[in-house]
Amino acid sequence: MRRVLIILLLALGAMLAAVWLGATPGSATLEFAGWRFDSSFGALAILAAVAGFALIVVDRLWRWIAGAPTRIKMWRHARRERHGYAALTRGLVAVAAGDPRSALREAALADRLLGAPPASLLLSAQAAQLAGDEASARKHLEAMRAAPETEFAALRGLVAIAMREGRDDEALGLARRARELRPDATWVSGALIDLETKAARWDDAALTIDAARRQQMLPAPDADKKRAAALHEAARGHEAKGDRREAIRAAERAFKLAPDRPEIAATLATLYAKDARARAASSLIEKEWTRAPHPELLDAYRKARPVPDALQWIKQVERLAKLNPAHAYSHAALAEASLAAELWGEAKRHAQAAIDAEGGEPRASLCRLMARIEEESGGVASVAKSWLARAADAPGDPAWTCDSCGHPHAEWHAICRRCGAFDKLVWSAPARLAPAFVAIDTTKDQQ
């Protein structure tokens, strides 16, 4: 509206000026190269205005002609971008559909049309990974890493490739760089925990788990459990290096996080015993035995309260067993100690009590224990053989078993020795396999 008003005002002004010039007397004479031109001043002014307007038109026309190559270039660039982003879209759809051939074709077209911007580089990397071409994918990701705005996305792909190829040290360095860029990214914490535990960098893993817990990327119970496992392994590592003070400090932190884990309590008690703190070790084991007896606690108790002969060891075991007298492990410990002291009657009584405490179906180790008692006490040989026969079909003894792959371990480790899972070992009995039935072809007997 304002523009229309301005044009009307200008037209009105021009008309008024023309009327004024026509009504105002005056003349103008122009002489040039022998030529003479006489005219009124108004006509000359109008002629000058027309000439000026013509010059403006010519200038605009020249500028339009001179700018044509640039406009054509911009049009072609816009056209390439339009087709390039269309190829990019088709390529992403192909990646989502799991079509590596189409994804590679569209990625190459997007690269050619767009000149390898971050989006087309990412598509090319994903298409190459989908096609199994890790070298090409790494090349595109490295190109993305050079740009600050795409470095983080590139690092995720490079970490995944390095982990698949078993280059864990390289993957760890890349993941730490990703943490510098985005410390709140969940996948970064997960990758760091995986890599640091595989590399036995237990102190670093404990710090990473703690950071993930504070940033609410891990539920508090899971984080405490995993951190306790990492600190437990850190304590063992410090003890192996001769740094007992740091080992005890790490074990105490682990026990504080997970006081219900017997393997941590046993390690801490053993460290106390080696540090000449037998009373603290015994108190810890006795408290844990009251809560939940465990064979590893018994081994740690022997280290905390060493005695020179078997009879004195029976007294130590009796003191511990009184704290949880009905538990099968208490009776089994007394049976083993009595057998070592050649107290056959007591050994047999406690072994039978252990079997009764487990519901009357003895596990394999208790069957073998009864067989040893019969053999070493001079009992009937057939009875010992029958116990050994029962051991072959008896339920297996609890062991540190991986909750992911089911592989048993002789002692606790934070990492499964078969599948590499972190903090998956639990104290449990192995699964019993159902007997295999063989189909018998009876048709031959009927013919």
Side-chain angles (χ1 to χ4, degrees):
M1 185 66 185
R2 182 180 296 177
R3 182 177 297 177
V4 172
L5 184 60
I6 291 172
I7 292 173
L8 290 173
L9 290 174
L10 289 175
L12 180 61
M15 185 178 63
L16 291 175
V19 171
W20 179 77
L21 287 172
T24 302
S27 62
T29 301
L30 179 63
E31 292 184 4
F32 177 76
W35 291 85
R36 179 186 175 92
F37 177 74
D38 294 319
S39 175
S40 65
F41 180 78
L44 186 62
I46 293 173
L47 182 62
V50 171
F53 179 75
L55 286 174
I56 291 173
V57 171
V58 170
D59 179 68
R60 291 292 180 89
L61 181 60
W62 170 252
R63 287 175 181 271
W64 184 82
I65 294 172
T70 302
R71 288 195 304 276
I72 292 172
K73 185 177 180 181
M74 291 177 63
W75 174 80
R76 292 181 63 187
H77 179 72
R79 183 172 177 271
R80 288 173 64 89
E81 276 197 339
R82 187 169 62 254
H83 288 291
Y85 282 113
L88 193 63
T89 302
R90 292 193 299 270
L92 291 173
V93 171
V95 168
D99 183 359
R101 182 177 299 177
S102 297
L104 285 171
R105 184 178 63 252
E106 299 297 341
L109 180 59
D111 271 341
R112 181 168 57 83
L113 293 174
L114 298 176
S120 63
L121 285 173
L122 179 59
L123 173 60
S124 298
Q126 290 179 336
Q129 286 181 323
L130 191 62
D133 187 356
E134 298 283 17
S136 180
R138 192 183 307 113
K139 181 187 70 174
H140 291 298
L141 290 170
E142 288 291 355
M144 287 176 60
R145 190 182 175 191
E149 64 272 15
T150 56
E151 181 182 5
F152 183 76
L155 286 170
R156 182 169 191 174
L158 290 170
V159 167
I161 290 173
M163 290 178 69
R164 281 197 298 270
E165 294 179 350
R167 294 178 285 109
D168 291 339
D169 289 341
E170 179 185 340
L172 181 58
L174 293 169
R176 286 177 173 172
R177 172 56 183 163
R179 180 172 58 184
E180 293 175 7
L181 296 174
R182 289 280 303 277
D184 59 339
T186 303
W187 76 264
V188 174
S189 293
L192 280 172
I193 292 170
D194 187 17
L195 291 165
E196 286 170 347
T197 53
K198 285 176 68 176
R201 298 175 181 265
W202 300 113
D203 291 310
D204 294 339
L207 292 174
T208 301
I209 294 167
D210 187 46
R213 181 187 185 277
R214 284 186 278 104
Q215 293 173 340
Q216 298 183 347
M217 288 184 283
L218 276 177
D222 291 347
D224 289 345
K225 182 175 177 292
K226 291 179 182 297
R227 190 173 172 222
L231 287 169
H232 184 193
E233 286 287 15
R236 298 163 105 181
H238 290 306
E239 171 65 11
K241 295 176 183 177
D243 190 352
R244 185 169 296 153
R245 179 177 298 179
E246 192 60 34
I248 290 175
R249 185 177 300 142
E252 286 175 339
R253 290 162 61 199
F255 182 71
K256 185 177 180 179
L257 288 168
D260 58 342
R261 296 180 65 161
E263 71 276 17
I264 297 177
T267 296
L268 179 57
T270 301
L271 289 170
Y272 281 156
K274 291 181 178 179
D275 201 42
R277 297 163 63 181
R279 181 172 296 179
S282 299
S283 176
L284 174 62
I285 295 168
E286 289 166 2
K287 182 179 178 180
E288 288 302 301
W289 195 273
T290 302
R291 185 187 61 81
H294 193 276
E296 290 195 7
L297 293 173
L298 183 64
D299 293 339
Y301 201 63
R302 183 184 287 273
K303 296 172 184 174
R305 302 177 71 91
V307 289
D309 58 55
L311 289 174
Q312 290 181 331
W313 174 239
I314 288 179
K315 293 181 180 180
Q316 301 291 351
V317 176
E318 286 176 344
R319 172 176 174 167
L320 191 63
K322 285 179 182 178
L323 300 173
N324 202 330
H327 201 281
Y329 282 153
S330 294
H331 288 294
L334 286 169
E336 291 278 2
S338 300
L339 179 60
E342 299 183 354
L343 300 177
W344 318 119
E346 284 296 298
K348 189 171 185 178
R349 182 173 69 85
H350 284 296
Q352 185 59 52
I355 293 172
D356 295 338
E358 291 190 347
E361 184 180 10
R363 47 191 163 87
S365 63
L366 288 176
C367 292
R368 290 192 293 269
L369 177 61
M370 291 293 280
R372 284 176 54 203
I373 293 171
E374 290 293 336
E375 289 177 354
E376 296 183 21
S377 65
V380 180
S382 60
V383 175
K385 290 181 179 178
S386 68
W387 279 112
L388 289 175
R390 289 184 67 180
D393 296 325
D397 291 283
W400 292 113
T401 307
C402 179
D403 210 19
S404 293
C405 68
H407 183 64
H409 297 68
E411 60 178 352
W412 182 88
H413 298 282
I415 299 292
C416 174
R417 293 296 190 254
R418 172 179 286 178
C419 69
F422 171 57
D423 193 31
K424 289 295 184 179
L425 267 63
V426 294
W427 184 257
S428 64
R432 300 188 68 178
L433 299 177
F437 293 95
V438 180
I440 301 175
D441 186 0
T442 60
T443 59
K444 292 182 179 180
D445 297 333
Q446 296 174 358
Q447 293 177 352

